[in-house]
Amino acid sequence: MSKTPEELLAEVREVEDWIGAEFDVRGAITADSDQRAMSEEILKVSNGRNDCIFDDQGNPSIMVKMPQMLLSELNSGWSEDLHPAFIVNGQPKEIWVSKYQNIVVGSGVDARAISLRGKDPKTNIDFDEALAACSQKGGNWHLHSNAEWSAIALRCKANGFWPRGNNSYGNDNSRNSEWGEVSYLYSGVSKGRVYTGTGPLGWSHDGTPFGIWDYNGNVWEWTSGLRLVDGEIQIIADNDAATNPDMSASSTEWQAIMPDGTLVTPGTTGTLKYDATNTDGSGSIIVSDAVSNQSDGSTYAGELLENISNDGVSIPDAIKQLGLYPVDNDHGGDNIWTRNAGERLPGRGARWHNGSLAGVFALSLFVERSLSDHGFGFRSAFYR
């Protein structure tokens, strides 16, 4: 007789908790035999969908395999090409994503990001520190990219499954009976963060025991390969952000997007930008080739992704495939917030108090790379 999802969840959590307990006692797992045993056990109970992958120091991370996705699988009107998340330096790759929001061991050049269940996710970490904690893990490790995140969000949409999560002070806004184990009290009183992976099955990205947890709420997650500069949308092409290129403020790796989808040098006339009807928090977000209403750096615009419009400029499929413009009128009611002044780095998923506005398409493009607070975390990814 086949096992129920709850029985499978109990089995996979037993193995994950064993790995976590071993790490808590021993620290890095350096013996090849121990690493093989942990990998084999998690692969077995997950039918190959999860693995325990070790970094250069022997730190274990529970990871989720993301099968390559054709654009046509995500939207019938798109091509048969791979989604850009699976193209790294022009080559098709297999992507593994942290099952859980990450913690960090060590500091400075010794900082390493780790994906384990039952941990209070690392917060009070800025964008560059999150980048480093991932890239320092060794070859092919990187900060989860916007391209990867968007491919998974589009898969959720195509499957008709909107993952729930901690978006209402420890509970899910739409199902108050669903909760995670609280790891942090906001202002010492209100429920805030929950321990990673402690929510129910509906809190995984595909509703299975083997999915990615906490894509909806808990903490905002820094993602790489995307930014705004004075409203101009800039990206790292395909999933080349996974190779850890220079993503500093002054880097020449960033490219802007023309209305026909061509990538060009930032600052080129006519590139796509986020404008707004006004920037006091009540304005509608508009994709345009110019900025008419610019934030003063403290104000912002917010809009449901599905309601974002344009001022007549052509919209290429490329920005829809990166979760920056609606495919249609249903994106789960998730919100985008923008400040179109200065450099703004992305967070995904929202956090514990964003309610119905949180979710797989939720996007923050209103904070600077130096932001470090209790509501921003991250997760690492890996490619083969």
Side-chain angles (χ1 to χ4, degrees):
M1 186 171 63
S2 61
K3 296 174 182 177
T4 67
E6 289 73 20
E7 289 171 334
L8 293 171
L9 179 62
E11 287 187 354
V12 75
R13 282 184 169 176
E14 182 178 4
V15 175
E16 291 177 354
D17 291 348
W18 162 61
I19 292 171
E22 288 293 305
F23 175 76
D24 288 343
V25 172
R26 299 164 55 184
I29 311 298
T30 57
D32 289 344
S33 58
D34 290 340
Q35 291 187 3
R36 283 196 302 272
M38 290 179 176
S39 175
E40 288 169 359
E41 282 298 309
I42 196 68
L43 285 166
K44 182 173 69 176
V45 296
S46 69
N47 297 313
R49 290 195 54 196
N50 298 164
D51 196 0
C52 184
I53 303 178
F54 296 82
D55 64 22
D56 63 332
Q57 294 181 343
N59 297 305
S61 282
I62 307 301
M63 308 294 288
V64 178
K65 181 180 180 180
M66 298 310 304
Q68 291 180 348
M69 305 175 199
L70 299 179
L71 290 169
S72 58
E73 295 175 317
L74 302 175
N75 184 286
S76 60
W78 291 343
S79 74
E80 296 293 318
D81 295 333
L82 283 173
H83 186 280
F86 301 94
I87 303 296
V88 179
N89 280 345
Q91 299 298 315
K93 296 295 181 182
E94 177 181 281
I95 303 296
W96 292 77
V97 177
S98 287
K99 190 170 186 175
Y100 304 115
Q101 292 170 337
N102 284 185
I103 61 171
V104 174
V105 296
S107 60
V109 296
D110 291 320
R112 298 292 185 274
I114 299 174
S115 167
L116 291 173
R117 197 180 89 86
K119 304 297 183 183
D120 184 25
K122 172 63 178 175
T123 57
N124 295 297
I125 184 169
D126 67 30
F127 177 77
D128 292 314
E129 290 169 337
L131 277 178
C134 298
S135 64
Q136 290 169 177
K137 287 169 66 66
N140 301 357
W141 286 99
H142 57 280
L143 178 64
H144 192 18
S145 70
N146 181 70
E148 293 163 350
W149 183 292
S150 300
I152 296 165
L154 288 164
R155 171 59 76 192
C156 294
K157 175 176 169 57
N159 289 344
F161 181 78
W162 301 105
R164 300 179 294 276
N166 172 23
N167 54 43
S168 184
Y169 300 94
N171 301 74
D172 179 76
N173 174 74
S174 64
R175 294 194 186 182
N176 196 53
S177 61
E178 293 186 349
W179 52 273
E181 297 175 16
V182 176
S183 63
Y184 169 77
L185 292 177
Y186 175 57
S187 297
V189 178
S190 300
K191 295 176 183 177
R193 301 189 298 266
V194 300
Y195 289 105
T196 57
T198 59
L201 278 171
W203 290 21
S204 82
H205 88 281
D206 58 1
T208 76
F210 318 122
I212 303 166
W213 245 259
D214 301 321
Y215 249 34
N216 180 334
N218 209 28
V219 295
W220 283 107
E221 296 186 31
W222 291 116
T223 52
S224 64
L226 168 69
R227 69 174 182 174
L228 285 189
V229 177
D230 292 331
E232 184 178 62
I233 300 168
Q234 298 181 10
I235 64 170
I236 304 292
D238 293 328
N239 196 17
D240 289 355
T243 66
N244 297 307
D246 181 7
M247 282 185 272
S248 65
S250 60
S251 171
T252 58
E253 299 287 337
W254 295 104
Q255 294 182 287
I257 308 170
M258 296 297 290
D260 64 359
T262 304
L263 298 183
V264 296
T265 302
T268 299
T269 300
T271 58
L272 295 177
K273 302 169 180 70
Y274 278 130
D275 196 15
T277 54
N278 60 61
T279 56
D280 64 359
S282 65
S284 297
I285 296 175
I286 300 169
V287 173
S288 177
D289 58 4
V291 172
S292 300
N293 292 304
Q294 191 164 56
S295 167
D296 64 6
S298 61
T299 54
Y300 66 93
E303 180 78 277
L304 297 184
L305 173 60
E306 54 217 44
N307 291 342
I308 290 178
S309 61
N310 68 84
D311 62 357
V313 68
S314 295
I315 301 296
D317 286 339
I319 68 166
K320 299 177 184 179
Q321 293 158 6
L322 293 176
L324 306 177
Y325 193 85
V327 176
D328 54 30
N329 62 359
D330 183 15
H331 287 75
D334 301 345
N335 213 60
I336 290 184
W337 294 263
T338 64
R339 281 187 178 131
N340 57 8
E343 185 195 40
R344 306 291 166 175
L345 278 296
R348 282 288 188 180
R351 60 178 173 179
W352 66 82
H353 63 72
N354 289 115
S356 63
L357 302 181
V360 292
F361 283 103
L363 173 60
S364 158
L365 277 168
F366 66 92
V367 299
E368 298 175 330
R369 68 173 58 227
S370 59
L371 177 81
S372 177
D373 77 7
H374 58 188
F376 254 79
F378 73 106
R379 74 178 79 211
S380 56
F382 182 82
Y383 70 87
R384 288 174 171 156

